[in-house]
Amino acid sequence: MQKAIVLTYHSIGQPKKGARLQGLYVTPKMFAAQMYYLKVCGYKVVSLTDIFNFSLGQPSDSILVAITFDDGFKSFIELAFPILNKYNFPAAIFLVSSLVGKHNEWDCVDLKDTKEMMDWSDIEFLKKQGFEFGAHSRTHPSLPTLSDTELEAEVRGCKDDLQSALDLPVDFFCYPYGDYDSRVIRSIKESGFKGAFTTKKGYIYSGDDPFEFKRMSIKLNTGPLAFTWKLLR
């Protein structure tokens, strides 16, 4: 059965000494090697809309790959963008709307790692380059723990923030921490999103639930063989 693949990245760079969850980083050298592999092996790197259409039954003559970045860290524009631009690859960045231009307030203390977020000028530049943006909530909470009012503010509020700032439709959501339940899915649907992406490991097939799209996480220890394995198996 034909599949599509969505890759998940967070930070491009060298993890800071003493930082926890260093696996959330991928070094620039490794990221460059991974993008080179996609290019020379003939994978078709596409938008989230293409992935969505594939799930609805639109056929493809090659394996589709979407590249996603969670959170919107400054390292994307500094280190990932030049590599993606070299290969003319699209990518989607899921933004935490109220923390644009700030830092990772949701976990910097626990992880002992403060990371700068892209600001609106960075995002506007990437918009002009054709990059895609999705919603990742307003403040990056665990959504199932919120009241109905708080949940709507995080989900619909993030969509409204981004659409107002970007003057573009924002059709896709990414669950912070991968946490969601039926109430959260209902909120996503009622807010007008076409689909949502999880942290569940796997591929996307025709007929999959668009509000529970699976992805393949790429981490610091995802070496060349592991990267190939994630794509081929």
Side-chain angles (χ1 to χ4, degrees), residues 187-199:
S187 178
I188 301 292
K189 291 179 178 178
E190 290 174 350
S191 296
F193 289 98
K194 291 181 178 179
F197 290 81
T198 72
T199 57

Side-chain angles (χ1 to χ4, degrees), residues 70 136-137 140-146 151 155 173-185 188 196-200 211-212 215:
D70 290 5
H136 200 30
S137 79
H140 205 293
S142 175
L143 297 178
T145 67
L146 304 181
L151 179 59
V155 173
F173 191 89
C174 176
Y175 302 109
Y177 307 108
D179 294 347
Y180 68 98
D181 55 19
S182 59
R183 186 173 64 100
V184 172
I185 292 176
I188 301 292
F197 290 81
T198 72
T199 57
K200 291 182 178 179
F211 292 92
E212 294 188 84
R215 298 187 290 173

Side-chain angles (χ1 to χ4, degrees), residues 11-72:
S11 299
I12 303 299
Q14 295 285 350
K16 298 173 185 176
K17 186 177 180 180
R20 297 174 179 170
L21 285 187
Q22 294 192 4
L24 294 179
Y25 284 84
V26 171
T27 67
K29 182 178 180 179
M30 190 60 70
F31 182 68
Q34 291 164 357
M35 297 303 101
Y36 175 78
Y37 180 86
L38 292 178
K39 187 69 173 181
V40 298
C41 291
Y43 287 94
K44 188 175 182 180
V45 181
V46 300
S47 69
L48 298 185
T49 297
D50 292 321
I51 296 293
F52 175 74
N53 290 337
F54 173 82
S55 77
L56 296 180
Q58 181 173 300
S60 174
D61 56 3
S62 58
I63 297 178
L64 304 182
V65 176
I67 301 167
T68 65
F69 283 79
D70 290 5
D71 305 321

Side-chain angles (χ1 to χ4, degrees), residues 2 23 37 83 87 110 117 133 178-179 201 221 229-230:
Q2 193 176 28
Y37 180 86
I83 297 167
Y87 296 112
D110 289 341
M117 313 293 284
F133 300 95
D179 294 347
K201 181 179 177 180
N221 63 356
W229 177 249
K230 286 175 182 285

Side-chain angles (χ1 to χ4, degrees), residues 3-229:
K3 67 184 179 184
I5 306 164
V6 180
L7 303 178
T8 305
Y9 292 90
H10 286 82
S11 299
I12 303 299
Q14 295 285 350
K16 298 173 185 176
K17 186 177 180 180
R20 297 174 179 170
L21 285 187
Q22 294 192 4
L24 294 179
Y25 284 84
V26 171
T27 67
K29 182 178 180 179
M30 190 60 70
F31 182 68
Q34 291 164 357
M35 297 303 101
Y36 175 78
Y37 180 86
L38 292 178
K39 187 69 173 181
V40 298
C41 291
Y43 287 94
K44 188 175 182 180
V45 181
V46 300
S47 69
L48 298 185
T49 297
D50 292 321
I51 296 293
F52 175 74
N53 290 337
F54 173 82
S55 77
L56 296 180
Q58 181 173 300
S60 174
D61 56 3
S62 58
I63 297 178
L64 304 182
V65 176
I67 301 167
T68 65
F69 283 79
D70 290 5
D71 305 321
F73 295 123
K74 193 83 167 182
S75 65
F76 177 88
I77 196 165
E78 294 173 339
L79 299 171
F81 166 71
I83 297 167
L84 294 166
N85 191 50
K86 176 180 178 180
Y87 296 112
N88 198 29
F89 282 169
I93 306 107
F94 291 107
L95 299 172
V96 182
S97 63
S98 74
L99 298 182
V100 169
K102 299 180 182 179
H103 67 276
N104 54 320
E105 294 178 4
W106 65 91
D107 66 1
C108 62
V109 174
D110 289 341
L111 299 188
K112 298 182 179 180
D113 190 3
T114 299
K115 290 174 278 190
E116 187 180 359
M117 313 293 284
M118 290 190 293
D119 59 31
W120 288 115
S121 64
D122 296 326
I123 293 165
E124 182 64 23
F125 169 79
L126 293 171
K127 171 189 166 182
K128 291 178 180 177
Q129 305 303 311
F131 285 85
E132 187 175 8
F133 300 95
H136 200 30
S137 79
R138 299 193 78 231
T139 64
H140 205 293
S142 175
L143 297 178
T145 67
L146 304 181
S147 69
D148 289 347
T149 300
E150 291 169 333
L151 179 59
E152 182 176 11
E154 289 287 342
V155 173
R156 190 183 300 274
C158 182
K159 184 180 178 73
D160 290 345
D161 289 347
L162 296 179
Q163 291 188 155
S164 176
L166 296 169
D167 194 27
L168 289 173
V170 175
D171 293 326
F172 298 100
F173 191 89
C174 176
Y175 302 109
Y177 307 108
D179 294 347
Y180 68 98
D181 55 19
S182 59
R183 186 173 64 100
V184 172
I185 292 176
R186 184 169 64 251
S187 178
I188 301 292
K189 291 179 178 178
E190 290 174 350
S191 296
F193 289 98
K194 291 181 178 179
F197 290 81
T198 72
T199 57
K200 291 182 178 179
K201 181 179 177 180
Y203 305 112
I204 295 173
Y205 299 95
S206 179
D208 279 358
D209 184 344
F211 292 92
E212 294 188 84
F213 280 143
K214 297 181 176 68
R215 298 187 290 173
M216 298 298 286
S217 183
I218 309 301
K219 299 181 179 181
L220 185 65
N221 63 356
T222 305
L225 290 178
F227 186 77
T228 302
W229 177 249

